[in-house]
């Protein structure tokens, strides 16, 4: 008989709820089920709440409400409906911030909202809980010798920041250096098509902190799962949906032995690869483009030698050995 998992947790990405009729994506090609997404989330919560043994936590991988809410002044109400659904869980929720959160709210508002899941208390040992400043990155350990690191892929971004701030100016400079298009959301003609406004990147300060966390995990024989809204491997994403400086994040990961998996959202079709260093990159399919008769969420069970994903609806089952 197989041993019980060391920990189990839920995963969901790109809910993008809005109290709107169905719409389309940025390019007008893909149907988005705005109003149905909340019903699918509630069904996911009901399934997670029934899990035995209980889940340790749920990862919400970003874009929980859609940018359309900002245009109709409905952001606060939409966010409250999503958070109310998640509050029915008997487990904490860790929230990544995506571009749609930043279409609706500035970073200061997000930091004071229910989407700020960064621990208030400093860890008893090891690196700081997160980088300095308003970066929404942190680490936590739900079980011995197992650590999760949540990265902020919009630490460098022109979204959600005061245009007068140094990080906004640096982000806009980087974006315009790589993207000369009048519409900065357009990847047309770009050699590096990830340099669009709806993506973002990792500051050097965040990368240095990330490196410090992974060094600590190496020294303490921990396994590490990294997560964030934006994918960081081109074989687990299309080229447009990657973090701006995804190679920098990969370089940090590959300079250590501890990372077993990177979990992301953003690309609504999902993706997967096992990279050259043995790290699994899993991009979760998004609820927003999931037909009402299906769903898109999962539960991951972590064992001593593998992670087992039990998917629902559009998300397939998967076993990821490490």
């Amino acid at each position: 008989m197989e041993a019980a998992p060391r920990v189990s947790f839920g995963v969901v990405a790109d809910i993008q709820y809005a109290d709107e009729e169905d719409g389309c994506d940025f390019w007008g090609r893909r149907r988005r089920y705005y109003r149905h997404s909340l019903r699918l989330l509630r069904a996911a919560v009901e399934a997670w709440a029934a899990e035995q043994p209980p889940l340790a936590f749920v990862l919400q991988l970003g874009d929980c409400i859609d940018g359309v809410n900002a245009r109709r002044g409905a952001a606060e109400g939409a966010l409250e409906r999503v958070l109310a659904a998640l509050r029915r869980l008997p487990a904490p929720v860790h929230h990544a911030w995506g571009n749609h959160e930043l279409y609706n709210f500035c970073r200061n508002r997000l930091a004071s909202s229910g989407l700020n899941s960064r621990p208030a208390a400093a860890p008893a040992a090891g690196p700081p809980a997160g980088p300095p400043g308003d970066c929404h990155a942190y680490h936590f350990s739900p079980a011995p010798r197992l650590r999760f690191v949540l990265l902020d892929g919009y630490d460098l971004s022109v979204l959600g920041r005061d245009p007068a701030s140094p990080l906004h100016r640096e982000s806009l400079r980087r974006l315009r250096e790589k993207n000369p298009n009048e519409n900065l959301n357009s990847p047309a003609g770009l050699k590096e098509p990830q340099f669009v406004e709806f993506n973002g990147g990792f500051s050097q300060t965040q990368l240095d902190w990330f490196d410090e966390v992974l060094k600590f995990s190496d020294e303490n024989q921990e396994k590490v799962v990294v997560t964030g809204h934006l994918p960081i491997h081109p074989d687990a994403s299309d080229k447009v949906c990657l973090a701006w400086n995804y190679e920098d994040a990969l370089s940090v990961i590959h300079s250590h032995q501890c990372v077993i998996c990177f979990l992301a959202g953003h690309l609504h079709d999902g993706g997967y690869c096992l990279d050259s260093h043995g790290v699994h990159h899993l991009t979760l399919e998004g609820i927003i483009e999931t037909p009402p008769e299906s769903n898109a969420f999962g539960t991951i069970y972590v064992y001593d030698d593998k992670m087992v994903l039990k998917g629902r609806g559009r998300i397939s089952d998967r076993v990821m050995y490490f």
Side-chain angles (χ1 to χ4, degrees):
M1 184 175 177
E2 187 171 48
R6 296 177 60 196
V7 72
S8 58
F9 61 96
V11 285
V12 66
D14 298 273
I15 302 159
Q16 291 183 220
Y17 167 69
D19 186 12
E20 290 277 326
E21 297 298 322
D22 294 351
C24 291
D25 66 359
F26 177 76
W27 288 278
R29 301 172 191 154
R30 306 285 295 271
R31 189 168 183 176
R32 293 187 168 177
Y33 302 91
Y34 294 117
R35 193 169 284 136
H36 286 288
S37 66
L38 184 61
R39 185 176 61 80
L40 298 188
L41 174 63
R42 287 169 175 160
V45 166
E46 185 176 345
W48 286 325
E51 288 259 2
Q52 291 297 330
L55 301 183
F57 57 89
V58 166
L59 289 178
Q60 188 276 108
L61 294 172
D63 283 4
C64 68
I65 65 172
D66 196 88
V68 69
N69 289 291
R71 297 194 290 274
R72 34 187 315 268
E76 294 286 355
L79 178 59
E80 176 51 33
R81 289 187 186 96
V82 168
L83 292 176
L86 291 169
R87 280 195 291 268
R88 297 177 68 88
L89 285 165
V93 181
H94 294 276
H95 298 280
W97 293 355
N99 48 308
H100 281 266
E101 278 84 10
L102 295 165
Y103 295 150
N104 282 284
F105 304 108
C106 69
R107 293 183 72 91
N108 286 342
R109 174 67 187 97
L110 287 175
S112 65
S113 77
L115 294 178
N116 183 1
S117 49
R118 182 169 166 170
D134 65 358
C135 180
H136 186 64
Y138 60 89
H139 64 95
F140 63 98
S141 177
R145 301 187 314 283
L146 180 64
R147 190 166 303 277
F148 282 71
V149 182
L150 188 147
L151 295 181
D152 184 348
Y154 291 87
D155 190 18
L156 291 179
S157 173
V158 297
L159 304 175
R161 289 199 180 279
D162 181 343
S165 70
L167 271 176
H168 185 280
R169 291 197 298 269
E170 179 187 352
S171 301
L172 185 59
R173 177 188 61 78
R174 287 195 185 201
L175 182 56
R176 290 198 181 280
E177 276 181 0
K178 301 288 187 175
N179 187 340
N181 295 327
E182 183 177 352
N183 179 359
L184 289 173
N185 274 319
S186 172
L190 302 185
K191 291 182 179 178
E192 298 174 90
Q194 75 270 22
F195 278 93
V196 287
E197 190 174 272
F198 58 77
N199 294 333
F202 311 103
S203 68
Q204 190 58 50
T205 298
Q206 182 178 181
L207 291 168
D208 290 344
W209 166 83
F210 184 35
D211 185 62
E212 188 180 350
V213 174
L214 298 189
K215 180 181 178 184
F216 175 84
S217 290
D218 277 348
E219 292 170 349
N220 289 274
Q221 293 80 52
E222 294 180 335
K223 300 298 185 185
V224 176
V225 177
V226 186
T227 184
H229 184 63
L230 296 172
I232 63 165
H233 200 290
D235 292 340
S237 175
D238 65 21
K239 293 182 178 179
V240 175
C241 285
L242 292 161
W244 288 350
N245 56 337
Y246 69 89
E247 292 170 310
D248 293 338
L250 273 177
S251 179
V252 173
I253 288 172
H254 290 163
S255 67
H256 296 276
Q257 303 299 314
C258 53
V259 177
I260 57 176
C261 185
F262 189 98
L263 298 170
H266 198 48
L267 179 69
H268 299 165
D269 277 343
Y272 169 80
C273 77
L274 178 65
D275 76 19
S276 59
H277 288 66
V279 178
H280 298 273
H281 294 261
L282 180 62
T283 305
L284 275 294
E285 288 84 350
I287 278 188
I288 183 61
E289 291 181 12
T290 300
E293 66 274 11
S294 185
N295 212 322
F297 69 97
T299 302
I300 294 179
Y301 306 89
V302 184
Y303 296 86
D304 287 336
D305 62 341
K306 62 184 179 288
M307 295 173 63
V308 178
L309 167 64
K310 173 62 178 175
R312 313 306 209 284
R314 295 174 65 211
I315 295 179
S316 300
D317 294 351
R318 189 179 297 276
V319 179
M320 297 173 281
Y321 289 95
F322 52 84

